[in-house]
Amino acid sequence: MSISRRALLAAGGSLPILATTRAGAAAHHPAEDLLPTAQECRRDNERMVDFGPRYTGSKSHNAYLDWLHESVERLGGHVLPYDHKPCNLWLARKTGLTVLDGAAAGPVRVASYYPRGGHTARDGVVGPLLYAGSIPTPSLSADVSDAAAAVTAIAAWRNQVAGWLKATIAGLGNRASGAVLLIDTDMPPPLTVGALAAIVGAFYIQAAPGAALEPWKRLWLVGLLPTVDFSKLHNAPAGIVYIVDGSARAAAGNYAPFDNGYVGTPALYVDRNEGSRLRNAAAAAPRVRFTVHAARRRTTSPSIVGILPGDGSTKKVLVLNTHSDGVNFAEENGGLGMIELARYFTGLRRRGRGLRHSLALSFVTGHFNGDPTFPQTQGFVDDHPDLVKRASAAMTIEHLGCAEWVDDEHGYHPTGRAEYGVMYCAPGLHDLARASLRRQPLDQVALARSDGNLYFGVGGALQTAGVPSLSYLTGPNYLVATGPQGDSGCLKQFDAQLQRKQIAWFADVIRRLDRIG
């Protein structure tokens, strides 16, 4: 993933887009036949999701890491010795909610569970369902062009929500003990594309006219809810049920927040319609059976670094970076994109037209670990100072081939457009990125300043280490979906032609970087 939980919350507004244009002519590549076909992009994504959700340190994740390792070696590269990092693996085994009394008795359609949010016995716990009210609504200015102010406002709102939750439980007194609390969230918050562009610091946008006014409301933003542990209170509730402002199809399997640490209080999410039914039922405080049965154990997980040689004319390297763990095709197929780029440049090298630079392929782990001390890309920087010193530039890529799906009055459906994407650019790379993007048949893409207050994704550590960096990512509704939103791995939302175009763009950017290093 991906996008930090601490940001991207603002009142919807229609701020102006700084530059709008349509995509230009396709960039020329020295060997178009070496670029992946749409069929090959789909094949790669299908292979990855067949491993299953790749939670950090899980068997599925390890199997995918083995495939990445083998892929680098098949292309003539070599993989550096692994450095295994300790991590906690938390896996939900069984979840559910059933109303046991009254007219609403029966199973409840659960949308998803709160990751690492505590656990119950296999058969769950039984307690009264109490409606606890609605968390405070964010009160922010519609002018979110000041990203630092937006971050400060978000942090203040999260502290306000945490205080409200504690005060609400205290106000319930002994009634809260062993109860299941039903809480309205009014999440996710509404945004517009223009407001999002202002938050991320866009300096150039390639999009259709009027894009600034398009709504941008994404379900994974429920991850902005603060992490609060009530398990040690004398009147601790047995669990919490959060109502999210989304349809059943959109909310299904939403693994959010994906990056929180372990919390002793288990929680579930329900969609807005199921939430309304439960709210009515809670007036009589019926007994419910609440289940979040999970396994938790200590394990380790490695980051992988592969080296693909250049033509030998320089000792410099270009770093390609992403994270390897995730739950569906979008989280995270950046590694597939890097392998596809490696195939392309290996083919060029074999034809005598390869890169001067060697490519350092960094597949970091820990993005879905939930431990804030896990190094992720900072681990690459710390463990490989020689590569960082020799790096002319770096590019991080995440969440490729994502079609836009929206959840509105017409249901949960595709728009026919690409999901809005952002490439963060180091100050010295603005012109290079803009020149390349203008030649691509891509829209819904913004170029943003990387020296601002917000830098989403896993590329920030390279920028901080002094490596001129580019970082691309998107944030679709299904970004962290693990359930039946689509089919296995959310491949229903995958756009193979879009990923092919993105790979072509990245290949052009890398060729331009190779000339200036």
Side-chain angles (χ1 to χ4, degrees), residues 84-293:
H84 289 260
K85 305 291 186 183
C87 65
N88 288 312
L89 178 61
W90 186 95
L91 296 174
R93 302 299 189 191
K94 179 183 177 184
T95 63
L97 182 66
T98 303
V99 178
L100 302 177
D101 304 321
V108 174
R109 182 179 60 227
V110 171
S112 59
Y113 55 85
Y114 193 101
R116 289 175 288 274
H119 60 89
T120 68
R122 180 181 298 273
D123 294 330
V125 296
V126 174
L129 180 68
L130 302 180
Y131 180 65
S134 181
I135 64 173
T137 300
S139 178
L140 301 174
S141 168
D143 181 4
V144 293
S145 58
D146 185 345
V151 171
T152 299
I154 293 161
W157 172 78
R158 297 185 78 232
N159 287 335
Q160 181 187 11
V161 172
W164 179 89
L165 288 167
K166 292 175 182 177
T168 297
I169 291 176
L172 288 171
N174 290 333
R175 293 178 63 214
S177 181
V180 175
L181 305 185
L182 181 65
I183 297 175
D184 270 307
T185 68
D186 291 329
M187 293 289 286
L191 282 169
T192 63
V193 169
L196 177 64
I199 291 174
V200 301
F203 64 86
Y204 175 80
I205 293 180
Q206 192 153 284
L213 301 178
E214 291 287 337
W216 197 86
K217 179 181 178 181
R218 299 298 185 260
L219 264 295
W220 50 265
L221 284 170
V222 300
L224 289 170
L225 289 169
T227 299
V228 182
D229 188 353
F230 306 115
S231 61
K232 294 180 174 60
L233 297 178
H234 75 278
N235 63 336
I240 295 174
V241 177
Y242 290 114
I243 303 172
V244 299
D245 185 18
S247 68
R249 288 187 66 204
N254 196 39
Y255 190 85
F258 69 90
D259 58 349
N260 64 296
Y262 179 78
V263 184
T265 304
L268 295 170
Y269 297 107
V270 294
D271 63 78
R272 68 168 77 92
N273 289 340
E274 203 71 341
S276 178
R277 187 171 75 86
L278 284 176
R279 197 184 301 113
N280 291 333
R287 292 177 309 132
V288 296
R289 185 177 298 278
F290 175 94
T291 305
V292 181
H293 177 60

Side-chain angles (χ1 to χ4, degrees), residues 430-440 447 508 512:
H430 288 194
D431 291 342
L432 180 150
R434 180 162 37 204
S436 179
L437 179 57
R438 279 176 169 168
R439 294 188 58 82
Q440 308 305 319
L447 303 179
D508 182 70
R512 292 170 187 260

